[in-house]
Every structure is written in structure tokens, then in C-alpha cells.
Amino acid sequence: MISEIRKEVSTKQEQIAKNARTLPTVSFTAMAYHIDLKWLYAAYKSVRHDGAVGIDGVTAEKYGENLKENLSDLESRMKSGRYKAPPVRRVYIPKSKTEKRPIGIPTFEDKVCQKAIQMVLDPLYEQDFYDFSYGFRMGKSQHMALDRIWNETMNMKGAYIIDLDISKYFDTIDHGLLREVLKKRVRDGVIIRMIGKWLNAGVMERGQKLFPKKGSPQGGVISPVLSNVYLHEVLDSWFIKQVRPRLAGKATMVRYADDATLIFENENDLKRVMEVLPKRLLKYGLKMNEQKTKVRRFFPPGNSGEKSDTFEFLGFTHYWGKSRKGNWVIKRKTESKRLSRSLKAVAVWCKKNRHLPIHVQQQKLNIKLRGHYNYYGITPNSKSLAFFWENVKKIWKKWLNRRSRNPHLNWDKFNMLLARYPLSRPKIYHSST
């Protein structure tokens, strides 16, 4: 049943995409009619069923007990305008040693509703988005963005780089301007009204309901596509249509969500863009973080031995190094603060769970190790992977010794334990360039 429904939904999405390609400047007024009971069922099946609950405490399991009735009622409320978007439950997760990132957790029904609208918007905007935008898009990934930067910079044989940081991007998206940007392609009353309700729904924090005038809560199902649509207008289209035609040399950009790297062949071009970039962001209510935005001279050292800058993107530090053939190539290693953060998380887990059976700890640690390798396991990064593995062993040994007041697990005994309960060794998952 679900396969047939997904096929039917996919056919509708293909038609949306076809219309968007055929009419690239048209703002569509009739799109919500696609959202019927089958569409909502596909949305229900697509959202995570094990996620945190919203302010109503309703789980996916509870919502599914009367699924047909619930979805039918949801469709009626959405299309009639009776749907009331509940505030999201705000929680905070660590971003750095000193900062925390706010996350908004919608109710389960709201997740289904947002997913249904996202399923309409995705095929439409996929026809508009540029190929250098990789965040939250079907068939694109962080590793593809990393490879794009490698290829573009290597083809220029080095480049001048703007490592752009937008200050608190998700928290500062202007609601009014976002609606204006959306209306360039979508004028369907149901969809625009629903998005407006989510933007104005507010957040529940410590029992208090707040109504931010800006921002799109991270954690919402609809937030990724809305943030991409906004930055497509603010940054991507501006760079392609207005900036690049006026430059003297080659220039390109790679963006993953709000992480953007601008790459220039010519230093004067970079300087010209840096003069206008803050003004462009400010026009849309955004602000460039002047402390975190960096300008880099990223060229191979050459025979002079002149030191090149490095830069960070998506958790990797990019630097120049010699290949096996003796040529200068761009290499990447795990960013130091990401490495420290990952090891700290392992230490916190080991401390909290040190009294669990050894085999249970081993299984959980191996899941964490494989998750780390799956992302950071690219060809030039073997040293960082090995460093992570060695330090996870040290952390585990330390907290196993804290299971009792008298430490008894020296390295000989710990290595015997590892022989029985081995920790997953570093593995390269991505044969990166």
C-alpha cells in the first residue's frame, strides 16, 4: 500500500517539478490541491517516529492509533484555515564551549503537516536552486560539497577565499522578507497561510510562551527548505546574476545551509565582494559575523616555502600538502575543535555509563566510533582518525578504572580486555580526492 501511495505522490511531485522548469518566472497559485489523504499518509510515514515529543506530549504511536481520522481531520483544518499551529518546545544543545544552539521541537501532528508542505515546495525549488548549494537537498551531501571545494580550488591552482559566517542565521530570518521571497514562486493561499502560522506560532520555553519576530526554529521539518529559499535569494542568485559577471577573474561559491565559502582567482575581486557583502546581507536583515568571517590566501607554498593559510569548512581543516608524487595538493583533516568536542562527548558518555556491562559499553562505543569514521573517514584524514581511536581507548580505560575505588586496570590488562571486546578501528568510508 505505502509503495503505491509513494508512487502516486512521486508522480505529482514530478508534475510540480515539470511545471516549475517550464515556467521559471511564474508564481504558482494552485498547489495545495495535491495535498490529499494519501499525500498526508506519505508525509506521516516520512517523518521520524522516534523523535522528541512537542508541547502536547503526543507520540507517533499515539497519533497512529486513529490515523485515518487524524489525517482526514488534519486535511480539513489545513485547507479550511482552521489549523492552529502550536508553539514549538525549545531546548538547547551545545554548539561550542561557550554557546548553545536553540532547537525547536514541533508536535508530531505539526511535523506531519510541515512535511506535507515541504513535499510540495521541494520539487518546485529544486528547479531554481544552483548546483553549488548542497544543504538539505535530495541527492546532495556534505561530502559532495567538500569535493566541490577541492575541485574548484585545485582547478584554480589556489585561490583567495572568503570563509563566510552569518551571525545567528536561523534566528534572524526576517518573516516579512521571507514571505516576499516565497511569493515570487508560491502564491497558493493554503501554503502561504500555513507557513505564516508556523512563523508566528511562537516557542514554549520554561513554561513561558514567546513570540520571536524573526527566525525559523531549527528542528522544524519545514525550516531547512525555508532557510534554503531565503539564502538562494539573498546570496546565491545575487552572486551568480549580479556579482560574478562583474568580476575580472574566475569565482565560485559552495554553500551548505548557512555555511558558505566564496572562492576567487583574483584578489581584487575578493576585496570588491567583501565591500558589498555585509550590505547585501543587511538588506535582508542578516549580519555578517565579522569575528568569524575570515579572508584567506590559500595557495600552495611553492619553492619559496611561503606559508599558506588554512580554512575550515563542514568540520574539516583544508591545507596544502605534498602528494605521494611530490605535488602540492589540498588535504583535509578533522577540525581541531570538532575533534575535541567529539572526544569530550565520548568522555561524558563513558563517565555516565561506566557501570554498564562491558559488552554493552563496547557496543555503544563502536556505534559512536563508526559514526565518527563514517563522516570524517576521508582518504587524507587517517592520522586524525587514528588520534580519535587512540584517545577513545584512553578515555574508556580511565572510566573503567573509576568503576571502583581501587584502580586495577593497567595497560596490559586493558589490552587483554580489548582483545575480547575490540573497539572498531579507523576506516576510510569516502575515497575523497
Side-chain angles (χ1 to χ4, degrees):
M1 176 183 173
I2 183 61
S3 60
E4 293 178 359
I5 290 176
R6 282 175 174 160
K7 185 177 180 180
E8 185 175 325
V9 169
S10 179
T11 300
K12 291 181 178 180
Q13 288 179 312
E14 288 172 5
Q15 186 59 51
I16 293 172
K18 181 180 178 181
N19 291 341
R21 283 193 303 271
T22 306
L23 303 167
T25 60
V26 167
S27 182
F28 293 94
T29 57
M31 300 183 76
Y33 75 90
H34 291 296
I35 303 174
D36 54 17
L37 202 57
K38 290 182 178 179
W39 190 281
L40 287 171
Y41 182 72
Y44 163 81
K45 296 294 286 186
S46 297
V47 300
R48 284 185 58 180
H49 285 206
D50 59 348
V53 297
I55 61 168
D56 61 357
V58 175
T59 63
E61 182 180 6
K62 182 69 176 177
Y63 191 82
E65 290 177 0
N66 298 295
L67 184 60
K68 187 174 181 180
E69 293 83 356
N70 286 336
L71 294 181
S72 179
D73 181 55
L74 175 59
E75 180 189 4
S76 174
R77 285 181 287 133
M78 285 177 65
K79 293 186 175 181
S80 67
R82 292 183 294 110
Y83 183 84
K84 294 183 179 180
V88 298
R89 181 168 66 89
R90 176 174 282 176
V91 298
Y92 291 87
I93 61 172
K95 181 179 179 181
S96 65
K97 290 182 179 180
T98 58
E99 295 181 288
K100 290 186 177 181
R101 186 191 304 274
I103 299 294
I105 303 174
T107 64
F108 183 77
E109 182 176 69
D110 212 36
K111 292 177 185 177
V112 174
C113 195
Q114 290 187 29
K115 185 65 179 180
I117 299 295
Q118 181 204 331
M119 288 161 54
V120 175
L121 297 179
D122 275 349
L124 166 64
Y125 281 105
E126 274 299 314
Q127 315 315 308
D128 295 349
F129 291 157
Y130 294 103
D131 62 357
F132 56 73
S133 169
Y134 290 87
F136 311 121
R137 295 180 61 189
M138 186 71 69
K140 290 184 176 288
S141 69
Q142 290 165 302
H143 291 98
M144 292 170 68
L146 289 162
D147 285 345
R148 178 70 171 260
I149 279 190
W150 193 95
N151 286 315
E152 294 285 358
T153 311
M154 283 294 295
N155 287 340
M156 291 185 189
K157 297 181 174 59
Y160 299 93
I161 287 173
I162 299 175
D163 183 4
L164 176 63
D165 187 280
I166 301 174
S167 182
K168 298 180 180 179
Y169 169 64
F170 286 92
D171 298 331
T172 55
I173 296 175
D174 186 285
H175 292 175
L177 293 174
L178 174 58
R179 290 190 188 94
E180 292 304 312
V181 171
L182 285 165
K183 286 179 180 179
K184 289 186 175 183
R185 287 298 258 159
V186 181
R187 288 187 178 271
D188 184 286
V190 172
I191 292 176
I192 293 297
R193 184 170 61 242
M194 288 299 299
I195 292 173
K197 289 182 177 183
W198 287 319
L199 292 175
N200 295 322
V203 298
M204 188 69 75
E205 184 176 356
R206 298 174 183 174
Q208 185 178 4
K209 194 174 181 181
L210 308 172
F211 294 93
K213 295 182 179 180
K214 294 183 178 182
S216 178
Q218 295 182 68
V221 177
I222 198 70
S223 293
V225 66
L226 295 183
S227 64
N228 256 346
V229 168
Y230 202 59
L231 273 186
H232 172 77
E233 175 74 17
V234 176
L235 197 59
D236 302 357
S237 292
W238 170 73
F239 184 79
I240 292 298
K241 296 178 180 179
Q242 298 183 42
V243 174
R244 202 161 67 174
R246 294 175 169 84
L247 300 181
K250 295 179 182 177
T252 189
M253 179 171 68
V254 179
R255 182 172 67 81
Y256 191 94
D258 60 328
D259 289 323
T261 299
L262 287 71
I263 304 168
F264 301 88
E265 183 182 44
N266 185 293
E267 186 176 14
N268 287 331
D269 288 341
L270 177 144
K271 292 178 179 179
R272 291 173 62 196
V273 172
M274 275 297 290
E275 288 180 2
V276 296
L277 184 54
K279 299 174 186 177
R280 176 66 181 182
L281 295 175
L282 195 60
K283 180 181 177 181
Y284 287 85
L286 305 175
K287 185 177 180 181
M288 186 174 76
N289 189 324
E290 295 182 1
Q291 291 184 331
K292 293 184 178 180
T293 297
K294 305 294 183 182
V295 172
R296 308 293 191 186
R297 184 187 181 281
F298 190 68
F299 287 88
N303 297 328
S304 64
E306 183 181 354
K307 189 176 180 180
S308 173
D309 290 337
T310 63
F311 70 94
E312 280 73 40
F313 186 66
L314 297 181
F316 288 90
T317 297
H318 295 65
Y319 64 100
W320 288 97
K322 286 290 186 74
S323 69
R324 291 181 179 179
K325 295 182 179 180
N327 300 318
W328 286 107
V329 296
I330 299 170
K331 295 191 173 185
R332 288 160 292 183
K333 61 184 178 181
T334 310
E335 191 178 339
S336 59
K337 65 180 181 182
R338 294 284 189 99
L339 193 54
S340 298
R341 190 190 309 167
S342 298
L343 288 171
K344 182 179 179 180
V346 170
V348 170
W349 186 91
C350 286
K351 178 183 179 180
K352 185 178 179 181
N353 297 279
R354 63 187 183 275
H355 296 299
L356 292 177
I358 297 295
H359 74 278
V360 175
Q361 292 189 49
Q362 178 221 16
Q363 290 171 1
K364 297 293 185 181
L365 285 172
N366 279 336
I367 291 173
K368 295 178 185 297
L369 283 164
R370 287 192 292 269
H372 186 88
Y373 303 153
N374 188 51
Y375 184 72
Y376 293 104
I378 64 176
T379 307
N381 197 31
S382 56
K383 288 184 179 180
S384 292
L385 298 184
F387 180 86
F388 184 73
W389 180 66
E390 291 288 352
N391 278 274
V392 169
K393 288 193 298 181
K394 292 177 182 178
I395 292 168
W396 195 26
K397 175 181 177 294
K398 170 186 173 180
W399 288 108
L400 287 177
N401 264 323
R402 301 287 179 92
R403 284 157 66 100
S404 64
R405 292 184 178 180
N406 299 313
H408 63 281
L409 196 64
N410 60 29
W411 275 105
D412 288 338
K413 291 181 179 179
F414 182 66
N415 286 330
M416 291 174 64
L417 181 144
L418 284 177
R420 185 175 180 183
Y421 302 102
L423 294 179
S424 297
R425 288 180 173 273
K427 181 178 179 180
I428 300 298
Y429 281 87
H430 307 278
S431 296
S432 184
T433 47

